[in-house]
Amino acid sequence: ANRMHDAEIILRPLIADCVTKGELVLARSAATDLFIILRDSRPKEALELAEKIKNCTIKLDLGPWTQIQDEGRKLQALNKLGKYPDTLNSVMNLRFQMKALPEHSEQDELVEIWNAKEVILSTGLEAAINFGKTNQILELTNDLLEIRRARGARVLELARGAFSNYSALIRLKRY
């Protein structure tokens, strides 16, 4: 915990300095690191920071996949605040948006497309599990497995992902 505090002390002035100098890519990167530090222990602050990261992405005119991953950060913070219905609703809408986007963006992206998809779907899966939404657990798990297969994930990672379905399958009595 102490190292996280030390990192926060370093990151906050770094972010402010980068913004002042107009180095928004670096500011965004440092803010993303700070978000990860804050997400579990101080999700309200993480949520505020996620909005600042989104604004930075817009100023940089980054592509839709980077914007979607930014939205994923916001949804991760909402999950930590226990806002599972809101998160799940947003993720289910974003699924359709992601399916409509091209696999290769013509704008600059700061994320891997597969990672943006996995962030959104994993966040939705966490919300579905905590909200007890069995059908969405199945849908999101299947989407995640499809993306992981497409990117060549290892068998162990695929098996772990498939395991997420078991509680939902048992609830639905699909043995």
Side-chain angles (χ1 to χ4, degrees):
N2 198 19
R3 288 183 185 235
M4 295 295 195
H5 178 72
D6 293 345
E8 182 181 350
I9 289 171
I10 293 167
L11 287 170
R12 285 192 186 275
L14 174 65
I15 295 165
D17 189 46
C18 289
V19 169
T20 301
K21 292 179 180 177
E23 297 174 358
L24 296 182
V25 172
L26 185 55
R28 186 186 176 286
S29 178
T32 299
D33 289 341
L34 182 58
F35 173 84
I36 293 166
I37 291 169
L38 298 175
R39 179 183 52 209
D40 292 336
S41 60
R42 293 166 21 217
K44 283 185 182 177
E45 285 181 56
L47 185 59
E48 291 171 11
L49 188 57
E51 287 300 323
K52 290 178 182 175
I53 293 169
K54 283 173 62 173
N55 291 336
C56 195
T57 295
I58 291 167
K59 286 180 185 173
L60 288 166
D61 194 31
L62 295 173
W65 290 106
T66 303
Q67 293 174 39
I68 282 174
Q69 188 152 355
D70 289 349
E71 185 66 17
R73 273 188 211 87
K74 174 187 152 192
L75 297 173
Q76 287 173 341
L78 288 175
N79 264 355
K80 296 300 177 186
L81 291 167
K83 307 274 185 185
Y84 306 119
D86 296 338
T87 300
L88 187 56
N89 220 12
S90 294
V91 167
M92 299 313 277
N93 290 328
L94 281 169
R95 282 175 69 219
F96 295 111
Q97 186 180 339
M98 291 189 301
K99 288 180 182 182
L101 287 174
E103 285 296 315
H104 301 286
S105 178
E106 295 188 18
Q107 289 178 271
D108 289 335
E109 299 284 2
L110 295 181
V111 301
E112 295 289 337
I113 291 172
W114 64 264
N115 187 261
K117 291 177 181 180
E118 287 189 25
V119 165
I120 294 297
L121 297 173
S122 296
T123 303
L125 180 58
E126 180 184 344
I129 290 168
N130 284 301
F131 194 39
K133 292 296 186 179
T134 305
N135 288 328
Q136 284 88 354
I137 292 170
L138 294 174
E139 289 176 34
L140 293 166
T141 301
N142 289 335
D143 286 357
L144 277 164
L145 287 172
E146 184 179 309
I147 292 163
R148 290 173 180 157
R149 276 190 201 101
R151 71 169 165 83
R154 294 183 175 178
V155 174
L156 180 59
E157 185 178 358
L158 295 173
R160 283 184 182 145
F163 186 73
S164 299
N165 262 347
Y166 285 122
S167 65
L169 290 170
I170 289 169
R171 273 191 225 132
L172 290 173
K173 296 184 181 179
R174 293 187 195 169
Y175 309 119

